[in-house]
Amino acid sequence: MEALGAGRAWEGQAIDGIAGLIDASLVRQTSVGGRSVLSLLAVVREYALGRLKEHGEAGRMRAAHADYYSDLVAAIAPGLRGAGQSEAVVQLGLELPNLRAAVRHLVYIDRLDDAGDFAWRLLVYWWIAGFFGEVRVWMLELLGKDQPITPHTRAVAWFFALWSEMWQHPTEEVVAGLGECVRLFTESGDGDAAAMATAARATARLQLPLPDLDAAERELADAVQQLRKLGNAWAEAITEVSRGRLAWLRGLTDDAQSCFDRATEVAESVGDQFTVSVAGNHQARLQLVRGDIDTAEAGCVRTLLVSVRLHFEEGIAYGLEGLCAVAAARGDAERAGMLSAIAHAIRQRIGVFDAEAFTVHMPQLDAIRSAQPDAVAAGERRGAELTVPEAIALALPEHEREQLAPELARW
């Protein structure tokens, strides 16, 4: 409101105006995680929008709204790649309805390059928050516009469109499409984005039923080198995770462990908790494969705590799947079924599914289902009724549950 007040009769009076609206119960004030949050009642929003349309101001207000949130994203987004990650995720989460409205309006009014920049700056946030499916819809709408766009915007839009396909329906066409993104980013002079798209293309190769490991290895090595040179530690760390996955597929588990360790080291050096969670979950799954159940359990709990604090639902799904395998290995069929069911529900919602080679909880779950089908089924029914916070609380040891209680209460 302060940004919109410049040159208007109510310039400098925004705070007093908001206070008056709160007192009149037209604006709701709540507290989320100790932060004051304001929300407009739906009936008031509709009335205000109608008045703006009557006065020919609706388009101007929406454009100003999009500009304000574009500036806000530009200020917050750099923190997503390092020590400010947790704070940035919280800030963006509080503004999520406004972020959605802003980017959709930019597409609607054909400011397509601005919409592409907006979406690309928030790449890390969309991943953490599990919104790639929704962003894909916006970007396909952008690509469907009969308007000129820069090669960079086209690369961004196709990257987001293909990212979801990579995890749900990996094909050679997805690999080829990401190769086109690499070309367009390079043509645009954005070496950083080109290196990230190269890493994504290699990761897509690993998702295929018959993965091209040699091509993926070359691409990942090139991407890590370029990202390290450019100082993009976040992307370097997450690419090291993909290198670990490749080594795993080759059966080189010691090499895979080294890659996951390097990913963790790089991520921790810049305060990137997201990649700490991703790498940690891979480490724990590798330990499950090796039969080190106790170490794997500790790793799953540790990364689950990180994922909860970051509100990283994919990481939570990985952690619950790992603890499902632990429960199955120890003969607790009902617990295994429960944890598997809630993890599956999360994956269905966010639309991210892993390659079969890395779903290490399934062999354990299938084995115990064969021995105790009724107990597993009972657990699955129970898991289907749980909320994510309830499932996390049941999955964690008691002392960790108490430590995390405030976070879960705010979920």
Side-chain angles (χ1 to χ4, degrees):
M1 284 187 67
E2 290 176 318
L4 292 173
R8 295 175 179 271
W10 43 273
E11 181 176 2
Q13 302 174 46
I15 301 301
D16 291 339
I18 291 173
L21 292 172
I22 294 171
D23 291 342
S25 299
L26 297 174
V27 169
R28 182 185 296 111
Q29 183 177 26
T30 56
S31 178
V32 178
R35 301 165 189 262
S36 183
V37 177
L38 303 176
S39 58
L40 198 61
L41 298 178
V43 64
V44 179
R45 183 184 297 110
E46 292 302 316
Y47 172 78
L49 183 57
R51 293 300 301 273
L52 286 170
K53 288 178 177 178
E54 288 174 12
H55 290 82
E57 290 276 349
R60 180 181 175 187
M61 288 297 106
R62 283 174 168 152
H65 177 273
D67 288 339
Y68 175 83
Y69 280 96
S70 294
D71 291 343
L72 184 69
V73 164
I76 294 175
L80 289 166
R81 297 188 179 192
Q85 191 176 78
S86 295
E87 174 64 19
V89 168
V90 170
Q91 287 183 268
L92 293 168
L94 292 174
E95 297 289 359
L96 182 57
N98 287 308
L99 301 179
R100 285 171 163 149
V103 70
R104 296 210 64 170
H105 186 66
L106 289 171
V107 173
Y108 176 75
I109 63 175
D110 294 332
R111 287 173 52 182
L112 306 182
D113 294 327
D114 290 339
D117 288 343
F118 191 109
W120 187 248
R121 290 179 191 274
L122 292 178
L123 169 66
V124 182
Y125 176 69
W126 303 136
W127 194 345
I128 292 172
F131 287 124
F132 274 128
E134 190 170 346
V135 179
R136 178 178 184 272
V137 173
W138 303 335
M139 294 298 101
L140 288 174
E141 184 180 348
L142 184 157
L143 289 167
K145 290 269 191 169
D146 186 22
Q147 297 290 335
I149 54 176
T150 66
H152 192 276
T153 299
R154 189 170 300 279
V156 166
W158 273 118
F159 182 94
F160 281 120
L162 292 165
W163 183 267
S164 294
E165 290 295 300
M166 178 178 82
W167 295 106
Q168 297 182 37
H169 309 291
T171 62
E172 292 289 354
E173 288 74 17
V174 171
V175 173
L178 288 167
E180 178 65 5
C181 292
V182 174
R183 186 188 71 79
L184 290 169
F185 279 132
T186 302
E187 179 184 320
S188 303
D190 191 343
D192 185 76
M196 287 195 286
T198 298
R201 188 186 194 200
T203 302
R205 293 187 192 277
L206 301 184
Q207 294 291 106
L208 295 173
L210 296 173
D212 186 343
L213 301 184
D214 291 338
E217 185 169 20
R218 289 191 298 271
E219 288 169 341
L220 289 172
D222 179 63
V224 164
Q225 181 180 10
Q226 291 300 316
L227 292 165
R228 186 178 298 139
K229 181 180 177 181
L230 292 166
N232 187 343
W234 171 81
E236 179 191 344
I238 204 67
T239 303
E240 284 288 2
V241 173
S242 289
R243 294 181 82 181
R245 288 165 68 91
L246 186 149
W248 189 334
L249 289 175
R250 290 192 186 277
L252 305 173
T253 56
D254 287 342
D255 289 351
Q257 183 66 55
S258 295
C259 289
F260 299 147
D261 288 344
R262 280 198 298 275
T264 300
E265 180 181 354
V266 173
E268 287 181 339
S269 72
V270 293
D272 169 18
Q273 293 301 297
F274 164 76
T275 308
V276 168
S277 170
V278 174
N281 276 314
H282 280 79
Q283 289 169 323
R285 282 185 285 171
L286 195 57
Q287 287 152 355
L288 284 167
V289 170
R290 290 172 163 176
D292 190 349
I293 303 301
D294 290 343
T295 303
E297 181 181 32
C300 289
V301 169
R302 184 166 56 251
T303 56
L304 187 56
L305 292 172
V306 173
S307 297
V308 170
R309 292 191 177 101
L310 202 54
H311 216 109
F312 175 35
E313 289 207 72
E314 184 187 349
I316 291 168
Y318 276 131
L320 295 176
E321 288 166 349
L323 292 172
C324 160
V326 170
R330 291 176 175 163
D332 192 340
E334 185 170 345
R335 178 178 173 83
M338 177 191 71
L339 295 175
S340 174
I342 191 67
H344 180 72
I346 292 171
R347 290 197 177 280
Q348 288 287 338
R349 184 171 63 255
I350 65 176
V352 178
F353 303 90
D354 213 344
E356 184 176 350
F358 302 107
T359 55
V360 301
H361 69 293
M362 289 307 299
Q364 296 274 16
L365 183 63
D366 290 343
I368 201 167
R369 190 193 301 276
S370 296
Q372 303 180 54
D374 292 342
V376 172
E380 288 172 334
R381 288 192 298 272
R382 184 183 180 198
E385 296 173 352
L386 294 174
T387 65
V388 173
E390 288 170 343
I392 293 168
L394 289 171
L396 290 172
E398 185 175 351
H399 66 283
E400 301 288 5
R401 189 184 314 149
E402 292 174 356
Q403 177 186 343
L404 209 60
E407 298 286 344
L408 294 177
R410 293 195 293 267
W411 195 273

